[in-house]
Each structure stands twice: as C-alpha cells, then as structure tokens.
Amino acid sequence: MQLGRQSNIKIQSENLINKIQNSPISGSSYLGPFGFQAPCPDGSQNLLPSYSVLPPSIVNERVDDIPLLTAILLKLDLPNIVDKLYTPHGNHEGLSYGWLMTVWLVYILSRGDHRMSSVQGWVAGRCSVLSCATGQKITDKDFTDDRLARLLKILYDDALWSEIERHISGHSIRAYDLPVEKVRLDATTASVNHDPEKHSLFQVGRTKQNTYLPQFKLMIGTLDPLGLPIATDVVSGEKADDPLYLPVYKRINDTLCKTGILYIGDSKMGSLETRAVIDRDDNCYLMPLPMTGETPTLLDKILSELEAGKHEISNVFLPQDIPTAENEKPNPEKALAKGFEITIERKIKLDGEEIIWQERICCAQSFRYAESQSKALDSRLEKAEKAIQNLTPPPAPGKKQYQDESELKSAAEKILKRYKVQGLIECSWECQESHKNIRAYGDKPARVETTVRYQIYTTRNTDAVEKTKKRLGWRLYATNAMVETLALTQVVLTYRDQYIVERNFARLKGRRLGITPLYVQRDDHACGLIRLLTIALRAIGIVEFCVHRKLQEDQDTLQGIYPGNPRRSTASPSVDLL
C-alpha cells in the first residue's frame, strides 16, 4: 500500500496554465490557495512562480489483527496503568511509554517476534491503522531501538513491575468478570546461549532433561481455569524452586484481597512453612508431598495400616462415569483411582508465633500410574540381573575375573542401588578354583598353579517384588480444605488439571511468543523483555477464555479452523488455531 505524498510541480508553460484555468475543476478559486499569479504583461516568462498541487491522499495499509489486539490491550487498561505508575523525564517527547508498550505488544502478538530491530519498520507501514486503533499520533520514530530498550529497563524495576502487574491483574479480573477460586503455582526454566560469567541472570542450572546449561527461571501464578497469569518472578537459573512459591503467593494474595482461595502446586510447594503461611491467611492449599524427609516413612506407615484393615478404601471416578440415579452405583471397572484419607495436626513457629492447624492427608493410588510403575520395575529388575551376571563372564581373553569376594559383593550392591532394586534381588556366589600342572624347566621345579575366580548368581525375591508392586502408584496429597469443599475425588481430579499452568509455559516457549532465544545481551533488558512477554501471555489467555465462554453460552462450536479438515468443529479452540 502507498501513502500519499505532497508533490511539488513547477509549471513554466503558459499554455499549461491556461489549460488548468479553463478546466472545469481548476478555476481561479481552485488555484487561489496555491498563490496563482497571472503572467507578466509583457509576456515575459522569467517571473513565472512555482505552483504546488496536492493530489487526493490515498492510504493503503494492512489491517490484519491489529484492531482486535489493540482492543484487548485497551480493555486491560494497559496504557493508562503504565502511564499512571511511571512518570517519564521532563524532556521526554513523543508517544508515552504506556502506548509504546501497547503497540509493541500488538507487534509481538501479531508477528510472533520480540526482536526490537524489526518493530520500527513494521510500524512505518501501519501508522494510519495504528493511529486509528489507538487514537494516538503514531510515527515510526517512536519505536527506535533505544526507546524500546528504555522501556525494558523501566520494566526491570522490581517495585514498579509489582505495581504494574498488580493493577493489570486486578483490572483484568474486574473487566472480564473472571472467577477467583483456584490459583496454580509452578516454575519453569529456559536455556539461553549467554555467558554465565558475564550475566548474573543466566546461570548454569539443571534442566528438565537432566542436563546443566545456562538458563533463567520463571515462577508464575495463574488463575484457574483459564490460566491467566497473575504474578510472575524472574530469577537466575541456578536457584531452587522451593523458595520461590512463598514470595509469589504473597503478591497474589495482596492482589486478590480474598480468603478461601485454593492454591495448587507440585511437590516443590510442599514446604511446611509455605503451607503454614497459606493456612494463616485463611486460604487453602493442595499439593502432593515430596518423597523426601518424613514422607516415605509416613507413606509406609499408612499403607501398613491399610494392609491391617484400619482404613476403608473408596474409588475415584470421573464425573461422567457417575450415574445420575441415586440407587445406581458406578461401574468399578471405570474407576481411575482409589484411596482414603487421614488427619494430622501440624505445628510450626513463624516470626515468633506458633501456628497449629489440621491437615488432611489423602492417600490415593492411580491405577494407570501403578501399572506404568510396575512395568518400569520389571524393566529395572531385568537390567539389574543382566548387569550383575555380566560381572562374572566365562573365562576368556580380555574378560575381567573377580578374585576377591568383597570386591564382587561391592560391585553387585552398586548395581542394585543404581537400579533401585535393593532387597528385590538376592545374590549368591561360589568360589571356583582351577589347577594347572606346570612341568619343571631348567632350575625351576614342577609346580601346581591355582587360579581363583568367583561366579555370581541372582534370584528374585518374589514375595518382596509382589509386596512392592502392591504399593506402587500410591501418593500422599496434603490439603487443609474441608471435606465438604474438597473431597477425595476432587483432590485427585483438581491436581490432574495441573497441565493448565504447563500450557502457559508451552505458549511462552512456542511460536507465538518464542521467549527463547533471547537476543538482548544485558540482564536488565532480558528481565524486562521476559516480563513484557508475560503481559502478552495474559492477552492470549483472555482471548481464548472469552471465545470458550461465548461458545459455551451459545452452546455452539467453531468450524473451519483446522487445516485440511474444514468440517471439524470444537467448542474450545486454542489461540493458535484462532
């Protein structure tokens, strides 16, 4: 599309002037504003003036999804929130930082690119559309690299970012009438190519793939069920997840200003201090207890009581598998888990205050999880037996033979520990001696040479294996919620929806936002960019939530969004499909 430009046309021919004057659309009144003067009386052409003719201005630009994305960010009141909380330098000219952030987010969401170098060129071709959508005077000079970098440095300020995030979250909940009942907390890592010695934010840490790479860590709290981020923390990659839950919880609690909210997290949220603070604030928590510390002992004790008949087991069903009739019982074959619960008194001292509360321990066994663990156990047993038997191969050149019983025993124990099958495989060995007669030679007398080697054998302890398999798939869930609000079935089903927060991590690392690779080199710019992308993540979640809610209200589905299958429909389309 082309933008109309003022063209200066020098008219030096008297015949051409006469034609313009005599034309029906170009009388003296038309040329008057342009300073028309008659030629000199003597007919001289030397004093002819220059004339400027403005042709009709035609603006032709791509609209795409710019109006929609701008409207979403405006409903979040993003520009007003930023401009209210941050006062720029007195010499600042041009677009405010609130509107600068809004337009940049429109670019990121529309193009799937967060590089600063491409924004100015994109804005230059869409100034009119952006001006109409925002109501501001938009020029490409406002989106130079230095101004965008200045915006990232502003977002790096922790105090300012907390205020911006709190206002955006509160306004989003009010503007879209979002339910505030459950909040999910979780952390993720993202690997980068930066030098850890030059960047305090990017440090070497353990990744999900059990490798050690330079990375940063992002802690996020999302509103259930739409997955809207409420609070985020960016920390260096070597830090543990456990201490990150409490700070983000406190910020969310201050933002929502409501009690009785259920906070859901994984086993890393299971710190007793975190649970105590949540209970003190009259909120609820739910998380599986980590299999460290006292948990394995507690689980063994509870399962021993179960085997002794001290607890009554109930099955867990999906809502659609429960009959609507009162007298009809659900089919036991459709149960996805079984379990029971006990109550424990917890006690801890925080800030000189002793906190005591009652905690429900829900012990549940997932049938699929137990089956997968049983298969994994059989695989480990086979590998351990094979590795132990390979310790004593038949005598042959190049094959190591153990001649010391203690060395062989130590090697076998290491294998059992590596495959976590101690007590499930019993090892026995025998000492084998071979004698070889050596004839006399020279001054050396005849002798008998004795060679000692050990042969190891393995036997599975079937009783221990069966007992272990019966205890597979069991997990302890801790909650302080009342049974009336969160029964055993709700405990299992609620935690199974933890993928909601994981979906946000997939969006951050996916094609739409592409949080990695990070092209910025400074730590303050990188932290500001990550925080900026979390605002974009909010906009994505709101779009998806509004579409799902509208389709549910209309009891309708959406077609034509699946490539290659135009007839396929869905009532919950993803943002990427939309």
Side-chain angles (χ1 to χ4, degrees):
M1 198 183 240
Q2 301 177 354
L3 296 177
R5 299 191 304 268
Q6 178 179 355
S7 58
N8 296 323
I9 306 173
K10 293 185 178 180
I11 307 175
Q12 298 181 350
S13 171
E14 185 177 357
N15 294 333
L16 181 57
I17 293 176
N18 292 332
K19 289 181 179 179
I20 294 176
Q21 282 183 297
N22 297 328
S23 66
I25 63 171
S26 302
S28 58
S29 61
Y30 178 82
L31 294 176
F34 298 95
F36 172 79
Q37 295 180 1
C40 296
D42 58 358
S44 172
Q45 304 294 325
N46 296 329
L47 299 178
L48 268 177
S50 298
Y51 299 91
S52 297
V53 179
L54 287 176
S57 178
I58 300 176
V59 178
N60 190 5
E61 294 179 354
R62 291 183 62 97
V63 176
D64 295 329
D65 49 5
I66 294 175
L68 172 64
L69 296 174
T70 306
I72 294 170
L73 296 174
L74 291 182
K75 192 168 183 180
L76 294 178
D77 204 23
L78 179 62
N80 293 334
I81 290 175
V82 176
D83 292 339
K84 180 176 64 176
L85 297 175
Y86 176 75
T87 303
H89 191 273
N91 295 331
H92 176 80
E93 296 181 355
L95 207 61
S96 68
Y97 284 106
W99 286 106
L100 184 69
M101 182 189 298
T102 301
V103 176
W104 192 4
L105 286 172
V106 170
Y107 167 76
I108 291 174
L109 292 169
S110 178
R111 305 297 298 172
D113 181 13
H114 57 70
R115 293 176 299 169
M116 293 184 289
S117 58
S118 306
V119 181
Q120 186 176 6
W122 180 82
V123 172
R126 295 162 177 81
C127 288
S128 297
V129 174
L130 291 170
S131 297
C132 294
T134 60
Q136 304 292 315
K137 183 180 179 181
I138 304 295
T139 63
D140 60 319
K141 300 301 182 183
D142 289 318
F143 296 88
T144 56
D145 287 0
D146 56 342
R147 288 213 171 186
L148 297 179
R150 174 61 182 168
L151 175 60
L152 297 182
K153 192 173 182 179
I154 292 172
L155 293 177
Y156 177 67
D157 186 344
D158 292 337
L160 178 61
W161 168 249
S162 297
E163 287 298 311
I164 292 175
E165 192 173 49
R166 183 171 64 86
H167 280 75
I168 293 176
S169 300
H171 184 81
S172 302
I173 294 172
R174 292 190 301 269
Y176 290 94
D177 191 22
L178 303 178
V180 183
E181 297 176 357
K182 301 176 184 177
V183 175
R184 297 185 184 272
L185 308 176
D186 202 358
T188 188
T189 59
S191 302
V192 295
N193 298 319
H194 295 63
D195 187 358
E197 296 182 358
K198 299 179 181 179
H199 301 274
S200 59
L201 180 61
F202 307 120
Q203 295 297 309
V204 176
R206 185 176 181 179
T207 65
K208 300 280 187 179
Q209 294 75 28
N210 291 329
T211 57
Y212 290 87
L213 297 172
Q215 62 183 8
F216 65 89
K217 187 163 290 187
L218 178 64
M219 185 73 195
I220 187 170
T222 61
L223 197 62
D224 200 66
L226 71 158
L228 176 71
I230 304 177
T232 55
D233 280 333
V234 183
V235 297
S236 54
E238 87 285 2
K239 293 187 176 180
D241 291 359
D242 305 40
L244 303 180
Y245 284 89
L246 204 52
V248 74
Y249 159 75
K250 291 180 179 179
R251 297 218 318 275
I252 295 175
N253 190 47
D254 294 339
T255 299
L256 299 180
C257 298
K258 182 181 177 182
T259 59
I261 299 176
L262 178 63
Y263 289 86
I264 309 164
D266 56 14
S267 58
K268 299 172 186 176
M269 184 181 163
S271 168
L272 190 60
E273 179 184 358
T274 303
R275 288 182 272 167
V277 172
I278 295 176
D279 183 81
R280 183 181 61 184
D281 294 337
D282 294 329
N283 290 312
C284 303
Y285 58 80
L286 170 63
M287 77 284 290
L289 294 179
M291 293 302 294
T292 56
E294 64 174 9
T295 305
T297 304
L298 178 61
L299 177 61
D300 183 70
K301 176 185 176 182
I302 293 176
L303 293 180
S304 298
E305 293 176 351
L306 175 65
E307 293 170 355
K310 294 183 179 181
H311 300 292
E312 184 178 353
I313 289 183
S314 59
N315 290 328
V316 177
F317 297 90
L318 292 173
Q320 58 269 24
D321 294 333
I322 299 177
T324 56
E326 296 182 359
N327 298 329
E328 187 177 356
K329 295 183 179 181
N331 186 359
E333 296 181 356
K334 294 184 177 181
L336 55 91
K338 64 180 180 180
F340 59 95
E341 64 177 71
I342 63 173
T343 302
I344 296 180
E345 183 180 85
R346 296 294 187 181
K347 182 186 302 183
I348 189 174
K349 181 172 287 189
L350 291 178
D351 302 328
E353 176 188 2
E354 188 176 42
I355 302 176
I356 303 175
W357 75 100
Q358 298 296 318
E359 182 178 76
R360 295 167 53 212
I361 302 296
C362 299
C363 188
Q365 183 190 42
S366 171
F367 297 145
R368 289 187 178 181
Y369 186 40
E371 183 180 356
S372 64
Q373 281 193 322
S374 178
K375 292 180 180 179
L377 176 60
D378 291 335
S379 177
R380 295 200 311 273
L381 288 171
E382 292 178 3
K383 292 178 180 179
E385 288 175 335
K386 185 176 181 181
I388 292 175
Q389 292 170 2
N390 288 337
L391 292 175
T392 57
K399 300 294 184 180
K400 179 182 177 180
Q401 302 294 327
Y402 281 91
Q403 298 179 352
D404 188 294
E405 180 180 350
S406 60
E407 291 183 3
L408 178 60
K409 182 179 179 180
S410 176
E413 289 177 350
K414 288 181 180 180
I415 294 176
L416 295 176
K417 185 177 180 180
R418 186 201 315 165
Y419 290 101
K420 300 179 181 180
V421 290
Q422 301 97 316
L424 305 182
I425 296 179
E426 297 178 353
C427 298
S428 60
W429 45 83
E430 65 174 346
C431 179
Q432 298 178 349
E433 295 182 359
S434 60
H435 304 279
K436 182 178 181 181
N437 295 323
I438 306 298
R439 293 181 300 174
Y441 182 78
D443 58 348
K444 296 181 179 181
R447 66 186 187 278
V448 177
E449 187 176 272
T450 303
T451 302
V452 178
R453 69 176 292 271
Y454 282 87
Q455 180 65 44
I456 197 167
Y457 304 97
T458 60
T459 304
R460 288 193 186 184
N461 189 339
T462 55
D463 294 338
V465 171
E466 290 300 321
K467 183 178 179 180
T468 302
K469 286 187 175 182
K470 288 182 180 180
R471 294 193 171 190
L472 293 178
W474 288 96
R475 199 165 191 183
L476 299 181
Y477 297 87
T479 181
N480 63 336
M482 301 297 292
V483 180
E484 294 77 12
T485 59
L486 197 70
L488 176 64
T489 299
Q490 281 72 37
V491 167
V492 176
L493 297 181
T494 300
Y495 184 74
R496 287 196 170 201
D497 289 337
Q498 191 69 5
Y499 70 90
I500 293 176
V501 65
E502 295 288 348
R503 187 171 55 185
N504 279 328
F505 298 147
R507 287 172 176 170
L508 277 172
K509 301 176 184 179
R511 179 181 60 87
R512 182 59 54 188
L513 297 179
I515 200 170
T516 55
L518 285 175
Y519 297 100
V520 291
Q521 296 300 317
R522 291 174 43 171
D523 285 358
D524 54 350
H525 291 171
C527 182
L529 180 59
I530 296 169
R531 288 172 171 174
L532 180 70
L533 293 177
T534 61
I535 299 178
L537 185 62
R538 287 171 167 84
I540 290 177
I542 286 177
V543 170
E544 191 172 274
F545 172 75
C546 291
V547 173
H548 293 181
R549 182 165 62 179
K550 183 61 177 176
L551 290 174
Q552 185 177 6
E553 290 176 356
D554 298 342
Q555 297 183 354
D556 196 4
T557 58
L558 197 61
Q559 289 185 346
I561 59 176
Y562 290 95
N565 194 355
R567 294 187 177 181
R568 182 180 176 183
S569 63
T570 178
S572 56
S574 65
V575 169
D576 291 332
L577 290 177
L578 291 172

